[in-house]
Amino acid sequence: MSEVQTHRVQPAWKKRALIDDKTYQQWYAESVESPEAFWGEHGKRIDWFRPYTKVKNTTFSGDVSIKWFEDGLTNVSYNCVDRHLEKRGDQVAIIWEGDNPYDDKKITYRELHDHVCRFANVLKKHGVKKGDRVTIYMPMIPEAAYAMLACTRIGAVHSIVFGGFSPDSLAGRIVDAESTFVITADEGLRGGRTIPLKENTDRAIDIAAKNFVMVKNVLVVRRTGGKVGWANGRDLWYHDEVASVPAECAPEQMNAEDPLFILYTSGSTGKPKGVLHTTGGYLVFASMTHQYVFDYHDGDIYWCTADVGWVTGHSYIVYGPLSNGATTLMFEGVPNYPSPSRFWEVIDKHQVNIFYTAPTAIRALMGAGDQHVKKSSRQSLRTLGTVGEPINPEAWNWYFNVVGEGRCPVVDTWWQTETGGIMISPLPGAMDLKPGSATRPFFGVQPQLVDNEGNVLEGAADGNLCIVDSWPGQMRTVYGDHERFIQTYFSTYTGKYFTGDGCRRDEDGYYWITGRVDDVINVSGHRMGTAEVESALVSHPTVSEAAVVGYPHDIKGQGIYCYVSLMAGEVPSEDLRKELVAHVRREIGAIASPDKIQFSPSLPKTRSGKIMRRILRKIAEDDFGTLGDTSTLADPAVVDDLISNRQNKK
Ligand code: WTA
């Protein structure tokens, strides 16, 4: 690997930073040597109705049990709203920037309190209680944040489903969570196009009913005013409902280990799993990482471009920033609408200081040309962040030099839905930066590299990334399936949390995430299980077998490459290819759109019938010179056919 240039901490970063290198070293040492004392102290950054006396009670062995602050009582919405009212009631909590650049609004903490309380009262009025699961399928509008906070206020557990998912995917999540209350909008609006959220919800509810989960109510926020179907008695208009309930609602006293939310995410096998996060530890970790990683100071305007349907939106649009009393910007649109200058225009318009986005957006905007950036001032910017996938040094350098004009540290933050918050990342005043490296672990995070046999690798090494001890933001279980939790994360390397990522540690102890080592692919920063796409493909009547792999894609990071065998008598054609792409979009959602489909009469299998994905990956990468050992194949001739019909010829 060619050496990348190291960027030293600039004096200006250090001067204002909350954490310098000395403090980082000290705190980090304390956090791993005495986690009880360290987190006992930092747990106090949130308000507790009853302080905890126990801090950490965790084991990664046997049944795997993770408890933090277990006898403390608190409430997330209280911490994100009420506790700020005295000091910053009139400060803007949420800046909303619509899809249309002329559409925006500002919501103060006092107004947020009013909205959240009313929303909570509507939920209560319709029988939603502590512990009930509420599904949220919303566009990026402030009501999505009100809905989340309203759930936390009364102790209901939210399960947000990204608005780009299909009715089938939504139904699967409603059924798994046994959720009978759904919050949605008439339509979403992105890049000038509408998304039929209510219609999708109606269809999902029918599918869920066939699986014996009956949705009792759908609360609908009016966003576009588009026409929607209506089931009297079941469907409720949000604006009617909130008008008739009080604007006060006492926050429920929640145990630190009471469930806070479920978020479904893709794994290497089976259906998406419901990652369960709980109340106290999650909030402490989200709030602390938000403050230190972004070097957040009171009064900063902070913008994370994620969607609340992903974990980044949970932790770094809503819970982290609001628990810190920040002004958080929520953006409904897309980076290139109406033009590729949109991000930079929004930054100038709202004087954004901290900007957090994904490598895929950076690469796309880099491709659009510097002129779209240079039109804007961007003088308000102070810290830049990225998340979701490895960032290639070219994109990093462009972000640093062109967007940040060499003035702003880039924090490349590695973490996962499962980790709740940022795990490996620079702290702006404490770490020299190397483009492409997430640098060093956050407080309390103990990464370890192991080889495929589980041997611990020391010093500079390349291996599989594990975390050896618990941190407060860690997921607690797979909803309804603790066994799957143990199997997925703690059985590959017994007694360690296995991330699924490959990683290199260099001679300076810096971590470089190299990407997933399992059958998960990362498309535009969205996690996709290859098994999910395969099962969508084989559900089409013409398909007998499918194998899906990732391949390097200039903008998306990884693209989706599908090998498809057809039923006897079916004939490959361009029309069928299009039909299969449309089918996968219908089954899962647009984010799972296959980029390439290769029809092949058969797939390479071992004599025991196992598909040899290693070979399929190589062919998809157009790198078949090094196919490795093919002697175990049942029929080696299959490979020649696959190579000659490959779709990614360079
Ligand atoms: C990948 C998103 C490299 C990684 C917060 C991880 C990254 C998966 C980075 C989790 C990064 C996330 N550098 N890879 N900075 N951040 N990833 O659950 O493969 O949607 O396992 O959480 O994204 O994706 P998830």
Side-chain angles (χ1 to χ4, degrees):
M1 175 172 282
S2 61
E3 245 345 283
V4 289
Q5 186 199 346
T6 299
H7 297 268
R8 305 296 303 271
V9 173
Q10 296 178 7
W13 307 347
K14 190 155 184 162
K15 190 156 163 248
R16 74 188 319 278
L18 299 164
I19 307 279
D20 61 12
D21 48 352
K22 209 165 120 243
T23 315
Y24 170 74
Q25 305 287 354
Q26 265 171 13
W27 285 26
Y28 184 76
E30 191 198 334
S31 73
V32 299
E33 280 153 25
S34 350
E36 295 268 347
F38 182 83
W39 290 110
E41 187 54 34
H42 290 282
K44 295 183 199 151
R45 62 179 297 119
I46 66 167
D47 288 1
W48 297 85
F49 300 131
R50 183 179 78 200
Y52 47 86
T53 63
K54 298 183 193 149
V55 175
K56 179 176 188 284
N57 179 5
T58 67
T59 170
F60 285 2
S61 305
D63 266 350
V64 183
S65 160
I66 298 157
K67 293 185 180 139
W68 284 89
F69 312 113
E70 62 185 294
D71 58 350
L73 295 179
T74 184
N75 179 284
V76 168
S77 86
Y78 178 87
N79 274 285
C80 290
V81 187
D82 306 47
R83 71 160 169 165
H84 306 308
L85 291 179
E86 198 181 327
K87 244 178 76 189
R88 47 177 119 244
D90 296 321
Q91 183 200 305
V92 174
I94 300 177
I95 300 176
W96 178 73
E97 170 77 13
D99 187 53
N100 178 327
Y102 296 104
D103 228 357
D104 59 21
K105 61 182 153 195
K106 293 185 173 160
I107 298 109
T108 65
Y109 272 97
R110 206 176 313 287
E111 290 163 342
L112 182 62
H113 180 261
D114 188 285
H115 289 298
V116 171
C117 286
R118 283 180 194 274
F119 208 130
N121 281 327
V122 171
L123 297 177
K124 274 188 174 171
K125 179 178 148 200
H126 292 284
V128 179
K129 301 181 308 297
K130 180 173 171 177
D132 288 353
R133 279 80 54 214
V134 171
T135 299
I136 301 178
Y137 183 61
M138 289 274 267
M140 285 289 289
I141 53 178
E143 288 80 0
Y146 308 161
M148 295 164 76
L149 291 164
C151 287
T152 72
R153 197 161 191 89
I154 65 170
V157 181
H158 62 67
S159 162
I160 308 190
V161 180
F162 174 59
F165 278 118
S166 67
D168 265 300
S169 296
L170 174 59
R173 287 153 170 81
I174 289 174
V175 170
D176 187 83
E178 296 178 290
S179 167
T180 60
F181 199 98
V182 180
I183 303 169
T184 189
D186 50 1
E187 295 176 313
L189 193 58
R190 288 187 87 214
R193 286 205 295 248
T194 56
I195 303 142
L197 295 175
K198 172 65 165 63
E199 190 188 319
N200 288 351
T201 303
D202 291 344
R203 284 164 56 200
I205 288 174
D206 291 344
I207 303 167
K210 293 196 188 102
N211 292 281
F212 310 107
V213 173
M214 309 296 162
V215 170
K216 289 201 208 92
N217 288 113
V218 183
L219 185 64
V220 189
V221 178
R222 182 170 284 150
R223 168 64 189 99
T224 64
K227 248 183 95 168
V228 292
W230 205 253
N232 285 325
R234 185 195 72 185
D235 297 349
L236 311 162
W237 279 116
Y238 168 79
H239 53 269
D240 289 343
E241 293 292 321
V242 286
S244 64
V245 291
E248 281 300 331
C249 172
E252 192 77 27
Q253 303 217 348
M254 303 297 289
N255 184 278
E257 283 302 333
D258 279 334
L260 177 63
F261 66 81
I262 302 168
L263 183 56
Y264 286 84
T265 191
S266 297
S268 45
T269 54
K271 287 191 297 185
K273 39 186 180 300
V275 168
L276 183 89
H277 283 287
T278 58
T279 302
Y282 169 83
L283 192 64
V284 167
F285 198 66
S287 131
M288 186 161 167
T289 47
H290 171 261
Q291 180 170 13
Y292 293 131
V293 170
F294 299 106
D295 197 40
Y296 169 77
H297 291 251
D298 269 0
D300 284 347
I301 309 288
Y302 163 89
W303 180 16
C304 164
T305 69
D307 189 288
V308 291
W310 307 109
V311 74
T312 307
H314 285 61
S315 300
Y316 299 112
I317 294 178
V318 179
Y319 295 125
L322 294 180
S323 64
N324 289 332
T327 297
T328 184
L329 194 151
M330 203 172 171
F331 177 45
E332 187 183 36
V334 294
N336 57 359
Y337 177 84
S339 84
S341 293
R342 185 70 192 274
F343 274 0
W344 328 121
E345 285 163 4
V346 173
I347 287 170
D348 284 353
K349 176 176 173 188
H350 298 293
Q351 291 295 295
V352 171
N353 307 114
I354 303 169
F355 179 66
Y356 189 30
T357 194
T360 186
I362 297 170
R363 286 192 299 266
L365 295 173
M366 178 170 80
D370 295 4
Q371 70 276 19
H372 298 289
V373 185
K374 295 204 163 134
K375 283 203 280 218
S376 62
S377 147
R378 286 159 287 109
Q379 282 306 306
S380 59
L381 281 180
R382 208 188 60 235
T383 307
L384 300 172
T386 82
V387 61
E389 52 176 318
I391 179 163
N392 46 315
E394 299 71 37
W396 195 103
N397 283 322
W398 184 81
Y399 199 32
F400 182 79
N401 291 318
V402 179
V403 176
E405 295 173 337
R407 290 181 285 112
C408 309
V410 171
V411 292
D412 172 1
T413 64
W414 173 84
W415 61 294
Q416 311 178 294
T417 306
E418 293 87 338
T419 69
I422 294 165
M423 299 289 279
I424 304 183
S425 168
L427 305 184
M431 268 76 121
D432 292 342
L433 305 172
K434 299 189 193 185
S437 170
T439 76
R440 294 175 154 276
F442 191 74
F443 306 121
V445 174
Q446 299 183 56
Q448 189 176 72
L449 301 183
V450 300
D451 66 16
N452 290 343
E453 283 68 50
N455 303 306
V456 176
L457 305 171
E458 306 286 355
D462 208 329
N464 303 305
L465 178 62
C466 295
I467 313 287
V468 293
D469 197 3
S470 185
W471 62 98
Q474 183 171 26
M475 75 183 282
R476 302 302 197 251
T477 191
V478 170
Y479 182 71
D481 197 349
H482 195 65
E483 193 48 41
R484 189 169 175 199
F485 177 57
I486 300 171
Q487 278 306 318
T488 308
Y489 302 105
F490 303 93
S491 70
T492 318
Y493 306 108
T494 317
K496 292 169 193 171
Y497 170 79
F498 175 45
T499 63
D501 279 314
C503 181
R504 181 169 72 87
R505 185 174 45 220
D506 71 14
E507 48 297 334
D508 297 325
Y510 273 41
Y511 290 85
W512 302 71
I513 309 296
T514 50
R516 302 288 303 198
V517 295
D518 53 11
D519 290 324
V520 171
I521 51 183
N522 194 324
V523 185
S524 302
H526 300 324
R527 261 166 85 167
M528 186 54 45
T530 52
E532 285 169 70
V533 183
E534 288 164 7
S535 84
L537 284 165
V538 296
S539 74
H540 193 272
T542 62
V543 177
S544 74
E545 200 169 34
V548 172
V549 297
Y551 70 94
H553 187 289
D554 284 351
I555 304 290
K556 299 182 185 184
Q558 281 188 298
I560 303 181
Y561 194 112
C562 311
Y563 296 88
V564 171
S565 300
L566 296 177
M567 297 285 189
E570 299 291 344
V571 186
S573 70
E574 220 26 64
D575 281 350
L576 182 54
R577 202 189 294 271
K578 286 197 190 115
E579 162 59 20
L580 291 179
V581 171
H583 179 72
V584 173
R585 293 171 69 104
R586 275 196 302 272
E587 290 284 306
I588 304 177
I591 56 166
S593 278
D595 294 282
K596 306 275 174 183
I597 293 185
Q598 173 169 357
F599 292 110
S600 78
S602 49
L603 298 172
K605 290 186 187 157
T606 60
R607 288 186 197 97
S608 60
K610 214 167 141 355
I611 294 179
M612 291 187 75
R613 294 172 169 281
R614 178 175 53 80
I615 292 178
L616 294 177
R617 267 187 223 116
K618 289 276 182 194
I619 295 173
E621 288 165 14
D622 198 21
D623 177 23
F624 48 86
T626 52
L627 279 188
D629 185 12
T630 54
S631 62
T632 53
L633 279 174
D635 176 11
V638 170
V639 173
D640 296 333
D641 175 76
L642 286 169
I643 290 175
S644 54
N645 290 312
R646 68 193 190 278
Q647 303 289 305
N648 265 342
K649 289 187 190 125
K650 280 180 191 140

